[in-house]
Amino acid sequence: MAERPLRIEAAPQRLTLDLTKTAIIVVDMQNDFCHPEGWLGHIGVDVTPARAPIPHLAKLLPALRKADVPVLWLNWGNRPDRLNLPPKLLHVYKPTGIGTGIGDPLPGSGAHVLEDGSWSAAVVDELAPEPGDIHVAKFRMSGFWDTELDSILRNLAVTTLLFAGVNVDQCVLGTLLDASCLGYDCILLEDCSATTSPDYCFAATVYNVKQCFGFVAQSSEFLTEAAAS
């Protein structure tokens, strides 16, 4: 396949990437994390920051699809029986045994928290996936552990990964770190990422990605350069 180079401004330096070897991984833009009636909203977390990437992704993803860049949705979606989860992971989100933890039904909707196939694990309506998109369920902070993500990317002959989603300091960063260790070139899309953590967590993540693990860019760079190419 002929190369399709795209030059973009990024930090710490300008990049030239090959669109034929590029994919975007959108992490956890799902109802439990981004919808006011999802799990985080139910336990009192303000999900407003987690919704910030939605308008940027709504513009970027159609342009990437038009350029034949694979779109991968990496959502937290556990087995209904939760047998693939260690006890410590269940405990940390329900330490007293009281409340709504992983796999429990949400009051109102009855959707099971972070369960594959449930409303809770579905992508928010504003970013409705297209038929050609690829879905991968994850069960840890990193999407590479105990999943088929790496195999899919290898079969797609992808070497460059764009990262977006929430929480940027947790699941996005965890997946990006593993991708970097596996030899992928990683680009964090800053305006397409967010966190409900304190602002310094976002700042530290951006700093460390630029310093050690890859590059940081804005989605507008892709939109501008793709339109001009």
Side-chain angles (χ1 to χ4, degrees):
M1 183 180 296
E3 291 183 356
R4 293 165 54 207
L6 186 75
R7 295 174 179 82
I8 62 166
E9 293 295 336
Q13 64 195 57
R14 186 174 176 82
L15 298 176
T16 300
L17 54 90
D18 182 359
L19 286 179
T20 67
K21 297 180 179 180
T22 301
I24 184 170
I25 297 179
V26 185
V27 182
D28 287 348
M29 292 300 296
Q30 63 194 80
N31 290 316
D32 260 348
F33 299 133
C34 303
H35 193 288
E37 297 177 10
W39 185 37
L40 290 191
H42 168 69
I43 62 176
V45 177
D46 180 9
V47 299
T48 302
R51 297 181 60 80
I54 291 176
H56 299 288
L57 285 168
K59 293 179 181 178
L60 176 64
L61 295 180
L64 292 179
R65 292 187 187 105
K66 186 177 180 180
D68 295 323
V69 173
V71 175
L72 287 86
W73 298 97
L74 183 64
N75 285 14
W76 197 309
N78 299 312
R79 291 168 52 99
D81 58 16
R82 294 174 287 183
L83 285 176
N84 58 323
L85 298 179
K88 66 175 182 179
L89 191 57
L90 296 172
H91 173 77
V92 73
Y93 293 114
K94 195 177 178 180
T96 64
I98 300 172
T100 305
I102 293 176
D104 293 334
L106 287 171
S109 70
H112 287 205
V113 171
L114 298 183
E115 185 174 298
D116 192 25
S118 73
W119 175 86
S120 294
V123 176
V124 292
D125 287 343
E126 296 90 338
L127 297 175
E130 294 291 329
D133 294 351
I134 301 166
H135 297 261
V136 177
K138 68 178 178 65
F139 327 104
R140 302 288 191 275
M141 292 295 178
S142 169
F144 283 99
W145 281 93
D146 200 22
T147 76
E148 67 272 28
L149 179 58
D150 187 50
S151 296
I152 289 172
L153 295 171
R154 303 293 182 188
N155 283 327
L156 291 171
V158 164
T159 58
T160 298
L161 297 175
L162 312 178
F163 283 91
V166 295
N167 280 309
V168 72
D169 55 320
Q170 297 171 12
C171 292
V172 177
L173 180 60
T175 306
L176 188 151
L177 292 181
D178 277 347
S180 178
C181 290
L182 287 166
Y184 294 98
D185 295 316
C186 301
I187 303 171
L188 176 66
L189 299 178
E190 185 173 4
D191 59 338
C192 291
S193 304
T195 184
T196 54
S197 303
D199 290 344
Y200 60 79
C201 296
F202 191 104
T205 299
V206 171
Y207 174 84
N208 281 319
V209 171
K210 289 190 294 187
Q211 186 76 7
C212 304
F213 307 116
F215 305 88
V216 177
Q218 308 296 322
S219 64
S220 58
E221 278 295 310
F222 284 86
L223 292 170
T224 300
E225 297 300 326
S229 62

PDB file of all heavy atoms in Angstrom, residues 25-45:
ATOM      1  N   ILE A  25      -7.297   5.075  19.043  1.00  0.00           N
ATOM      2  CA  ILE A  25      -7.908   4.320  20.130  1.00  0.00           C
ATOM      3  C   ILE A  25      -8.643   5.306  21.029  1.00  0.00           C
ATOM      4  O   ILE A  25      -8.025   6.194  21.627  1.00  0.00           O
ATOM      5  CB  ILE A  25      -6.848   3.549  20.934  1.00  0.00           C
ATOM      6  CG1 ILE A  25      -6.140   2.516  20.052  1.00  0.00           C
ATOM      7  CG2 ILE A  25      -7.489   2.860  22.136  1.00  0.00           C
ATOM      8  CD1 ILE A  25      -5.066   1.719  20.766  1.00  0.00           C
ATOM      9  N   VAL A  26      -9.953   5.150  21.098  1.00  0.00           N
ATOM     10  CA  VAL A  26     -10.784   6.016  21.934  1.00  0.00           C
ATOM     11  C   VAL A  26     -11.142   5.229  23.190  1.00  0.00           C
ATOM     12  O   VAL A  26     -11.814   4.197  23.121  1.00  0.00           O
ATOM     13  CB  VAL A  26     -12.059   6.460  21.192  1.00  0.00           C
ATOM     14  CG1 VAL A  26     -12.828   7.461  22.048  1.00  0.00           C
ATOM     15  CG2 VAL A  26     -11.709   7.070  19.839  1.00  0.00           C
ATOM     16  N   VAL A  27     -10.672   5.719  24.322  1.00  0.00           N
ATOM     17  CA  VAL A  27     -10.751   4.962  25.572  1.00  0.00           C
ATOM     18  C   VAL A  27     -11.912   5.436  26.456  1.00  0.00           C
ATOM     19  O   VAL A  27     -12.001   6.623  26.796  1.00  0.00           O
ATOM     20  CB  VAL A  27      -9.433   5.086  26.353  1.00  0.00           C
ATOM     21  CG1 VAL A  27      -9.482   4.269  27.645  1.00  0.00           C
ATOM     22  CG2 VAL A  27      -8.244   4.666  25.500  1.00  0.00           C
ATOM     23  N   ASP A  28     -12.797   4.525  26.780  1.00  0.00           N
ATOM     24  CA  ASP A  28     -13.797   4.697  27.847  1.00  0.00           C
ATOM     25  C   ASP A  28     -14.742   5.886  27.675  1.00  0.00           C
ATOM     26  O   ASP A  28     -15.238   6.430  28.676  1.00  0.00           O
ATOM     27  CB  ASP A  28     -13.104   4.808  29.211  1.00  0.00           C
ATOM     28  CG  ASP A  28     -12.551   3.485  29.692  1.00  0.00           C
ATOM     29  OD1 ASP A  28     -12.886   2.441  29.095  1.00  0.00           O
ATOM     30  OD2 ASP A  28     -11.765   3.487  30.656  1.00  0.00           O
ATOM     31  N   MET A  29     -15.016   6.284  26.442  1.00  0.00           N
ATOM     32  CA  MET A  29     -16.031   7.323  26.233  1.00  0.00           C
ATOM     33  C   MET A  29     -17.406   6.651  26.274  1.00  0.00           C
ATOM     34  O   MET A  29     -18.149   6.628  25.307  1.00  0.00           O
ATOM     35  CB  MET A  29     -15.782   8.046  24.913  1.00  0.00           C
ATOM     36  CG  MET A  29     -14.523   8.881  24.881  1.00  0.00           C
ATOM     37  SD  MET A  29     -14.491  10.198  26.149  1.00  0.00           S
ATOM     38  CE  MET A  29     -15.867  11.221  25.629  1.00  0.00           C
ATOM     39  N   GLN A  30     -17.726   6.128  27.446  1.00  0.00           N
ATOM     40  CA  GLN A  30     -18.910   5.298  27.630  1.00  0.00           C
ATOM     41  C   GLN A  30     -19.803   5.897  28.711  1.00  0.00           C
ATOM     42  O   GLN A  30     -19.392   6.769  29.481  1.00  0.00           O
ATOM     43  CB  GLN A  30     -18.503   3.873  27.989  1.00  0.00           C
ATOM     44  CG  GLN A  30     -17.746   3.739  29.310  1.00  0.00           C
ATOM     45  CD  GLN A  30     -17.072   2.381  29.447  1.00  0.00           C
ATOM     46  OE1 GLN A  30     -16.006   2.155  28.887  1.00  0.00           O
ATOM     47  NE2 GLN A  30     -17.693   1.484  30.214  1.00  0.00           N
ATOM     48  N   ASN A  31     -21.028   5.397  28.774  1.00  0.00           N
ATOM     49  CA  ASN A  31     -22.026   5.999  29.649  1.00  0.00           C
ATOM     50  C   ASN A  31     -21.630   5.998  31.120  1.00  0.00           C
ATOM     51  O   ASN A  31     -21.882   6.971  31.829  1.00  0.00           O
ATOM     52  CB  ASN A  31     -23.365   5.286  29.462  1.00  0.00           C
ATOM     53  CG  ASN A  31     -23.984   5.583  28.113  1.00  0.00           C
ATOM     54  OD1 ASN A  31     -24.005   6.725  27.661  1.00  0.00           O
ATOM     55  ND2 ASN A  31     -24.478   4.557  27.445  1.00  0.00           N
ATOM     56  N   ASP A  32     -21.026   4.931  31.593  1.00  0.00           N
ATOM     57  CA  ASP A  32     -20.676   4.883  33.009  1.00  0.00           C
ATOM     58  C   ASP A  32     -19.711   5.980  33.424  1.00  0.00           C
ATOM     59  O   ASP A  32     -19.702   6.388  34.590  1.00  0.00           O
ATOM     60  CB  ASP A  32     -20.082   3.514  33.363  1.00  0.00           C
ATOM     61  CG  ASP A  32     -21.107   2.605  34.019  1.00  0.00           C
ATOM     62  OD1 ASP A  32     -22.186   3.090  34.412  1.00  0.00           O
ATOM     63  OD2 ASP A  32     -20.836   1.403  34.132  1.00  0.00           O
ATOM     64  N   PHE A  33     -18.892   6.462  32.492  1.00  0.00           N
ATOM     65  CA  PHE A  33     -17.906   7.479  32.814  1.00  0.00           C
ATOM     66  C   PHE A  33     -18.274   8.873  32.320  1.00  0.00           C
ATOM     67  O   PHE A  33     -17.756   9.862  32.849  1.00  0.00           O
ATOM     68  CB  PHE A  33     -16.541   7.098  32.217  1.00  0.00           C
ATOM     69  CG  PHE A  33     -15.998   5.794  32.744  1.00  0.00           C
ATOM     70  CD1 PHE A  33     -15.495   4.840  31.880  1.00  0.00           C
ATOM     71  CD2 PHE A  33     -15.983   5.519  34.097  1.00  0.00           C
ATOM     72  CE1 PHE A  33     -14.983   3.638  32.344  1.00  0.00           C
ATOM     73  CE2 PHE A  33     -15.483   4.318  34.579  1.00  0.00           C
ATOM     74  CZ  PHE A  33     -14.977   3.374  33.701  1.00  0.00           C
ATOM     75  N   CYS A  34     -19.123   8.959  31.317  1.00  0.00           N
ATOM     76  CA  CYS A  34     -19.357  10.248  30.654  1.00  0.00           C
ATOM     77  C   CYS A  34     -20.813  10.710  30.669  1.00  0.00           C
ATOM     78  O   CYS A  34     -21.086  11.838  30.266  1.00  0.00           O
ATOM     79  CB  CYS A  34     -18.877  10.179  29.201  1.00  0.00           C
ATOM     80  SG  CYS A  34     -17.145   9.740  29.009  1.00  0.00           S
ATOM     81  N   HIS A  35     -21.735   9.887  31.077  1.00  0.00           N
ATOM     82  CA  HIS A  35     -23.150  10.255  31.107  1.00  0.00           C
ATOM     83  C   HIS A  35     -23.542  10.609  32.545  1.00  0.00           C
ATOM     84  O   HIS A  35     -23.159   9.905  33.487  1.00  0.00           O
ATOM     85  CB  HIS A  35     -24.006   9.103  30.592  1.00  0.00           C
ATOM     86  CG  HIS A  35     -25.420   9.488  30.289  1.00  0.00           C
ATOM     87  ND1 HIS A  35     -26.351   9.770  31.265  1.00  0.00           N
ATOM     88  CD2 HIS A  35     -26.067   9.654  29.096  1.00  0.00           C
ATOM     89  CE1 HIS A  35     -27.507  10.077  30.713  1.00  0.00           C
ATOM     90  NE2 HIS A  35     -27.369  10.016  29.399  1.00  0.00           N
ATOM     91  N   PRO A  36     -24.295  11.681  32.740  1.00  0.00           N
ATOM     92  CA  PRO A  36     -24.682  12.065  34.111  1.00  0.00           C
ATOM     93  C   PRO A  36     -25.421  10.975  34.868  1.00  0.00           C
ATOM     94  O   PRO A  36     -25.394  10.944  36.105  1.00  0.00           O
ATOM     95  CB  PRO A  36     -25.592  13.283  33.886  1.00  0.00           C
ATOM     96  CG  PRO A  36     -25.175  13.834  32.565  1.00  0.00           C
ATOM     97  CD  PRO A  36     -24.761  12.647  31.733  1.00  0.00           C
ATOM     98  N   GLU A  37     -26.088  10.058  34.153  1.00  0.00           N
ATOM     99  CA  GLU A  37     -26.823   8.986  34.822  1.00  0.00           C
ATOM    100  C   GLU A  37     -26.033   7.677  34.882  1.00  0.00           C
ATOM    101  O   GLU A  37     -26.570   6.637  35.270  1.00  0.00           O
ATOM    102  CB  GLU A  37     -28.161   8.762  34.113  1.00  0.00           C
ATOM    103  CG  GLU A  37     -29.081   9.968  34.172  1.00  0.00           C
ATOM    104  CD  GLU A  37     -30.368   9.765  33.403  1.00  0.00           C
ATOM    105  OE1 GLU A  37     -30.646   8.625  32.983  1.00  0.00           O
ATOM    106  OE2 GLU A  37     -31.094  10.751  33.211  1.00  0.00           O
ATOM    107  N   GLY A  38     -24.760   7.742  34.500  1.00  0.00           N
ATOM    108  CA  GLY A  38     -23.899   6.575  34.568  1.00  0.00           C
ATOM    109  C   GLY A  38     -23.360   6.353  35.970  1.00  0.00           C
ATOM    110  O   GLY A  38     -23.743   7.021  36.934  1.00  0.00           O
ATOM    111  N   TRP A  39     -22.416   5.419  36.063  1.00  0.00           N
ATOM    112  CA  TRP A  39     -21.892   5.012  37.379  1.00  0.00           C
ATOM    113  C   TRP A  39     -21.231   6.161  38.136  1.00  0.00           C
ATOM    114  O   TRP A  39     -21.533   6.408  39.302  1.00  0.00           O
ATOM    115  CB  TRP A  39     -20.914   3.864  37.173  1.00  0.00           C
ATOM    116  CG  TRP A  39     -20.372   3.255  38.431  1.00  0.00           C
ATOM    117  CD1 TRP A  39     -21.042   3.048  39.604  1.00  0.00           C
ATOM    118  CD2 TRP A  39     -19.048   2.764  38.643  1.00  0.00           C
ATOM    119  NE1 TRP A  39     -20.219   2.447  40.536  1.00  0.00           N
ATOM    120  CE2 TRP A  39     -18.981   2.264  39.959  1.00  0.00           C
ATOM    121  CE3 TRP A  39     -17.918   2.678  37.836  1.00  0.00           C
ATOM    122  CZ2 TRP A  39     -17.828   1.705  40.484  1.00  0.00           C
ATOM    123  CZ3 TRP A  39     -16.763   2.109  38.356  1.00  0.00           C
ATOM    124  CH2 TRP A  39     -16.730   1.632  39.667  1.00  0.00           C
ATOM    125  N   LEU A  40     -20.317   6.883  37.451  1.00  0.00           N
ATOM    126  CA  LEU A  40     -19.628   7.964  38.153  1.00  0.00           C
ATOM    127  C   LEU A  40     -20.604   9.030  38.621  1.00  0.00           C
ATOM    128  O   LEU A  40     -20.490   9.544  39.741  1.00  0.00           O
ATOM    129  CB  LEU A  40     -18.556   8.587  37.246  1.00  0.00           C
ATOM    130  CG  LEU A  40     -17.337   7.733  36.935  1.00  0.00           C
ATOM    131  CD1 LEU A  40     -16.254   8.569  36.269  1.00  0.00           C
ATOM    132  CD2 LEU A  40     -16.778   7.060  38.178  1.00  0.00           C
ATOM    133  N   GLY A  41     -21.557   9.375  37.751  1.00  0.00           N
ATOM    134  CA  GLY A  41     -22.560  10.355  38.154  1.00  0.00           C
ATOM    135  C   GLY A  41     -23.364   9.868  39.350  1.00  0.00           C
ATOM    136  O   GLY A  41     -23.684  10.649  40.260  1.00  0.00           O
ATOM    137  N   HIS A  42     -23.662   8.579  39.368  1.00  0.00           N
ATOM    138  CA  HIS A  42     -24.443   8.007  40.472  1.00  0.00           C
ATOM    139  C   HIS A  42     -23.699   8.105  41.797  1.00  0.00           C
ATOM    140  O   HIS A  42     -24.327   8.332  42.849  1.00  0.00           O
ATOM    141  CB  HIS A  42     -24.774   6.549  40.164  1.00  0.00           C
ATOM    142  CG  HIS A  42     -25.308   5.796  41.341  1.00  0.00           C
ATOM    143  ND1 HIS A  42     -26.552   6.049  41.893  1.00  0.00           N
ATOM    144  CD2 HIS A  42     -24.754   4.793  42.090  1.00  0.00           C
ATOM    145  CE1 HIS A  42     -26.737   5.245  42.925  1.00  0.00           C
ATOM    146  NE2 HIS A  42     -25.676   4.478  43.069  1.00  0.00           N
ATOM    147  N   ILE A  43     -22.381   7.921  41.782  1.00  0.00           N
ATOM    148  CA  ILE A  43     -21.629   7.958  43.041  1.00  0.00           C
ATOM    149  C   ILE A  43     -21.137   9.367  43.379  1.00  0.00           C
ATOM    150  O   ILE A  43     -20.320   9.543  44.286  1.00  0.00           O
ATOM    151  CB  ILE A  43     -20.453   6.961  43.028  1.00  0.00           C
ATOM    152  CG1 ILE A  43     -19.432   7.308  41.925  1.00  0.00           C
ATOM    153  CG2 ILE A  43     -20.960   5.536  42.863  1.00  0.00           C
ATOM    154  CD1 ILE A  43     -18.201   6.403  41.935  1.00  0.00           C
ATOM    155  N   GLY A  44     -21.622  10.371  42.638  1.00  0.00           N
ATOM    156  CA  GLY A  44     -21.359  11.749  43.016  1.00  0.00           C
ATOM    157  C   GLY A  44     -20.221  12.443  42.306  1.00  0.00           C
ATOM    158  O   GLY A  44     -19.841  13.556  42.693  1.00  0.00           O
ATOM    159  N   VAL A  45     -19.661  11.816  41.268  1.00  0.00           N
ATOM    160  CA  VAL A  45     -18.576  12.447  40.512  1.00  0.00           C
ATOM    161  C   VAL A  45     -19.160  13.377  39.449  1.00  0.00           C
ATOM    162  O   VAL A  45     -20.113  12.997  38.747  1.00  0.00           O
ATOM    163  CB  VAL A  45     -17.689  11.381  39.842  1.00  0.00           C
ATOM    164  CG1 VAL A  45     -16.605  12.041  38.981  1.00  0.00           C
ATOM    165  CG2 VAL A  45     -17.050  10.484  40.892  1.00  0.00           C
TER     166      VAL A  45
END
